[in-house]
Amino acid sequence: MRNVPVARVDALGVPVLAIGTDYPVEHWLAPHEHRRAQLLYAATGVMRVDTADGSWTIPTKRAVLIPPRTQHAVEMRGVSTRSLYLEPAAVPWWPRSCLAVDVSPLLRELLLAAVDLPDPVARETVGDSAQSRRGTALTALLLEELRALSPLPLGLPLPGPGTLRVRCLRFQAAPSVRESPEEWARELGMSSRTLGRRFAAETGLGFSRWRERVVALHGVLRLGEGVPVARVAADLGYDSPAAFAQMFRRVLGQSPREFFPRVSP
């Protein structure tokens, strides 16, 4: 199914709904939630999923797992998605919070094939046909492949409501590696030590590691749009592309060229 609102087909008695959706170049989905669990895959473009707990930056050919009844907003940049909406009973192992995941070549092809199947109502009307059997087999294989997903470090924890969260969101919108904890502490009216304790308590990361994660994920967003490494590095406050690439590898486990094989130098 393509470009069909999930609400229109949510009540169908099938464990998995596969829907492909094409969005405008710059698009924002307001906060919403689904009754079903969702795998949201970026077939093209790059997107950021925001919840009360944090945000997840998802480049092309990666996906995010969204639990049932989790309110989330999505910022999309040139995105075409392939989504699986899954009955919670079909995936009892689904994570309790959003999780960015890699997508294997096999799962990618299964997603593309599932979206192009006739809708479930049409498959039911043809009974035990080759078309119906193919849909059933694809669904079963999809559910098996989902169990083998590999997590990716593309999530960013955020503090709870308050002045620290507001400051974090401002930094996330325009990050720079040059911002120091001393600057933040003065602005927020606390000591650097208190700031560090707050970050550790509310995000699980110290300030420096959290700042690096924001910078790396902003790099993913920009690189995913095709911006050259040198430009991204300079905009984020690095003296050289090599310094940025070193940080990128440290945080995400791969260099920009490995993460985006066609990235420009």
Side-chain angles (χ1 to χ4, degrees):
M1 292 181 287
R2 290 182 179 269
N3 298 309
V4 174
V6 66
R8 188 182 300 172
V9 292
D10 182 49
L12 293 176
V14 293
V16 181
L17 294 168
I19 299 176
T21 309
D22 304 311
Y23 292 96
V25 175
E26 297 288 338
H27 188 71
W28 186 70
L29 283 178
H32 63 287
E33 64 180 51
H34 308 294
R35 182 186 65 80
R36 294 173 179 247
Q38 182 185 11
L39 177 141
L40 180 60
Y41 170 73
T44 63
V46 60
M47 58 191 174
R48 197 180 78 196
V49 176
D50 296 318
T51 74
D53 298 325
S55 68
W56 290 261
T57 301
I58 309 299
T60 306
K61 296 185 179 179
R62 277 80 164 188
V64 59
L65 308 184
I66 304 172
R69 300 296 186 191
T70 297
Q71 190 171 83
H72 59 285
V74 188
E75 177 188 347
M76 298 184 171
R77 304 185 182 192
V79 171
S80 177
T81 65
R82 303 293 180 267
S83 282
L84 297 179
Y85 296 93
L86 306 113
E87 284 289 352
V91 285
W93 50 267
W94 206 255
R96 294 180 180 273
S97 63
C98 292
L99 180 68
V101 293
D102 203 3
V103 175
S104 68
L106 174 56
L107 180 55
R108 187 175 304 127
E109 293 304 319
L110 289 171
L111 283 169
L112 300 178
V115 164
D116 288 332
L117 285 171
D119 69 73
V121 173
R123 292 210 305 271
E124 287 177 4
T125 60
V126 297
D128 188 28
S129 67
Q131 188 180 83
S132 177
R133 292 194 300 274
R134 181 169 182 263
T136 300
L138 268 175
T139 296
L141 189 51
L142 275 169
L143 289 171
E144 286 301 317
E145 281 300 298
L146 290 177
R147 289 182 174 274
L149 289 169
S150 300
L152 293 172
L154 298 175
L156 176 73
L158 289 169
T163 55
L164 182 57
R165 182 184 179 94
V166 171
R167 184 64 181 87
C168 287
L169 292 176
R170 182 149 57 91
F171 180 77
Q172 188 182 18
S176 169
V177 74
R178 297 184 184 277
E179 289 196 23
S180 70
E182 291 76 21
E183 292 177 59
W184 279 50
R186 283 195 301 271
E187 183 179 331
L188 295 170
M190 63 181 70
S191 68
S192 297
R193 182 173 296 181
T194 300
L195 178 68
R197 285 199 298 265
R198 288 279 303 277
F199 260 100
E202 297 197 40
T203 72
L205 300 173
F207 176 86
S208 295
R209 285 186 61 201
W210 185 88
R211 178 187 60 190
E212 225 174 36
R213 179 72 65 87
V214 176
V215 170
L217 293 179
H218 194 79
V220 168
L221 204 63
R222 300 292 305 285
L223 293 170
E225 294 178 308
V227 180
V229 172
R231 171 73 179 278
V232 174
D235 289 348
L236 291 172
Y238 285 90
D239 294 327
S240 69
F244 167 75
Q246 185 179 28
M247 177 280 302
F248 195 96
R249 176 183 285 278
R250 183 168 60 250
V251 175
L252 300 180
Q254 292 181 307
S255 71
R257 282 184 174 276
E258 291 168 332
F259 203 88
F260 296 100
R262 296 183 182 180
V263 73
S264 300

